[in-house]
Amino acid sequence: MSCALSSAVRLKRLSTILLLSVSTTLSGCGMDEVRRPMADVGSGSDTAIASRSLANEENQVAVETQTLPSSGMDQMSGPPPDVISVPDTSQAASEPIEPATPTLQPPEAAPEIPRLGETKPYSLPEMEPPSDDDKSYGYLKNYSYPNAIRDPIARGESVLGMSGGEMACRTELKKLGVVFQEKPPINDGGACRIDHPLAVSGFASGNIKLKPTATLNCQMTLALARWVKGDLSPSTRLRYLSGINTIHQASSYSCRTMSSQRGRPMSEHARGNALDIAKITLNNGREIEVERPGLFSFRQRGLLNTVRSDACDYFTTVLGPGYDRFHSTHFHFDLMQRRSGHRACR
């Protein structure tokens, strides 16, 4: 009997020790710490108070949301929004919670963008300085006319309001190396006028001089430059083995009739549309007079005959020695426009 009691006591102690060890193990693992809800929602009054608290929190969140800046740039550059604080629910039972008054803050001004500087309109100088190159063709270094236009082609416009054809003609003159100046318009009454006259003083970039300076229109100047380059210069080199130094002209613009005879039509000279050439000086010093050559002047005769025949490819009228007494000492070239398109080469 005593053995049975002692055995029961031992079993009870063992079970007690086992329970203590199990409870100790569970408490170490945290199984006995169970979090309880912050508020008891079992009663009806507590439930209503909790509902009002949640509604007030939503109103406050909406108001603070409205105060945020509207533009995307302000959100990026402005300070971060304030952290929404949740009121303590423990004071809900003691005093009522009133909705927060919205505080609207003015949005921050956008950063001012610096304005670019205003570009000043380009204004051309009234008078451009002439070129320092003595052989700069197109415009002379020393201007003889106070109202001359310095460079209408480079400026892109003309004070005298030139047409596109006049501007294109001047461009061709510069390509051919014609030395010329712009002159004021000439109007001597009737047919004696040139709207855009030129003072021509040389060809081939100044290597061939024209003396005295001739007053011509642009189309006549262009035809003359092509003739000098394409016919006169090659012919003199072929026969005299020398280039041209100076072309001597006898008449350019002149307000008169044909051959200065009373009652005859107005000459093409009155329009700056004609030029008379009396003599040619070569680089070797030889002078070729435009006149009927002597019996043994073979080279002079050959040159004058070639010039007379080939010049009709450039001019509409070519008159020279042997035609009449008025053209016995010079060549007359002009660009007369005839209805039939006829060219007079005599």
Side-chain angles (χ1 to χ4, degrees):
M1 189 66 180
S2 60
C3 291
L5 289 174
S6 61
S7 299
V9 172
R10 290 178 180 178
L11 287 175
K12 187 175 181 179
R13 289 179 179 177
L14 289 175
S15 62
T16 301
I17 293 172
L18 182 61
L19 288 175
L20 290 175
S21 60
V22 170
S23 63
T24 303
T25 303
L26 291 178
S27 64
C29 295
M31 292 298 293
D32 60 338
E33 295 181 0
V34 179
R35 294 184 179 181
R36 296 184 179 182
M38 295 295 294
D40 189 5
V41 296
S43 62
S45 61
D46 295 338
T47 303
I49 293 174
S51 300
R52 288 203 306 267
S53 300
L54 292 177
N56 293 333
E57 293 174 6
E58 293 177 357
N59 292 335
Q60 185 174 359
V61 171
V63 169
E64 294 182 358
T65 304
Q66 292 178 0
T67 61
L68 294 177
S70 57
S71 61
M73 184 176 294
D74 293 339
Q75 292 179 2
M76 297 178 62
S77 61
D82 297 335
V83 180
I84 300 174
S85 60
V86 180
D88 190 3
T89 56
S90 61
Q91 300 177 357
S94 61
E95 54 184 38
I97 300 177
E98 296 180 359
T101 303
T103 56
L104 299 178
Q105 299 179 356
E108 296 182 0
E112 184 178 357
I113 300 176
R115 296 182 179 179
L116 298 177
E118 296 181 359
T119 304
K120 296 183 178 179
Y122 175 73
S123 59
L124 292 170
E126 295 183 359
M127 299 295 285
E128 297 179 359
S131 175
D132 293 333
D133 188 3
D134 292 334
K135 295 185 179 180
S136 177
Y137 59 87
Y139 302 93
L140 290 178
K141 181 177 180 181
N142 184 14
Y143 289 85
S144 303
Y145 303 94
N147 297 327
I149 300 173
R150 290 303 177 107
D151 193 348
I153 298 174
R155 291 174 64 130
E157 61 181 3
S158 171
V159 177
L160 303 178
M162 294 182 187
S163 64
E166 290 287 339
M167 298 299 294
C169 178
R170 283 157 173 76
T171 302
E172 292 298 321
L173 293 183
K174 296 191 72 173
K175 290 180 180 179
L176 291 172
V178 181
V179 182
F180 66 93
Q181 288 184 29
E182 299 284 349
K183 292 185 63 176
I186 298 174
N187 188 355
D188 294 331
C192 300
R193 63 177 296 170
I194 309 176
D195 293 334
H196 307 289
L198 301 176
V200 185
S201 59
F203 304 96
S205 302
N207 293 322
I208 300 176
K209 303 175 184 64
L210 180 63
K211 293 183 178 181
T213 299
T215 301
L216 302 169
N217 62 37
C218 188
Q219 294 300 326
M220 182 62 192
T221 306
L222 182 59
L224 190 64
R226 289 172 175 171
W227 170 70
V228 171
K229 181 180 180 180
D231 181 65
L232 184 61
S233 293
S235 297
T236 55
R237 288 185 179 277
L238 178 62
R239 287 174 170 80
Y240 291 95
L241 302 178
S242 176
I244 301 173
N245 180 270
T246 306
I247 299 174
H248 302 270
Q249 61 96 5
S251 178
S252 56
Y253 168 77
S254 178
C255 185
R256 60 179 174 85
T257 60
M258 291 182 178
S259 302
S260 299
Q261 298 296 305
R262 181 179 297 179
R264 298 195 65 180
M266 294 300 295
S267 172
E268 291 298 308
H269 287 280
R271 303 177 180 87
N273 207 33
L275 184 70
D276 294 342
I277 295 178
K279 184 173 64 175
I280 299 172
T281 301
L282 304 181
N283 289 330
N284 58 11
R286 187 182 184 93
E287 294 184 349
I288 303 172
E289 301 285 345
V290 181
E291 60 185 8
R292 187 182 291 275
L295 182 61
F296 298 102
S297 301
F298 300 110
R299 288 193 296 180
Q300 183 180 358
R301 180 181 294 106
L303 177 63
L304 296 179
N305 289 336
T306 300
V307 169
R308 185 194 300 266
S309 61
D310 293 345
C312 279
D313 295 336
Y314 304 91
F315 308 99
T316 60
T317 303
V318 177
L319 305 176
Y323 171 66
D324 60 13
R325 62 186 180 90
F326 299 106
H327 298 85
S328 60
T329 58
H330 65 272
F331 278 125
H332 170 85
F333 300 140
D334 70 43
L335 293 176
M336 176 184 289
Q337 298 297 323
R338 301 178 176 88
R339 294 181 179 178
S340 61
H342 175 67
R343 292 175 179 262
C345 299
R346 301 171 186 174

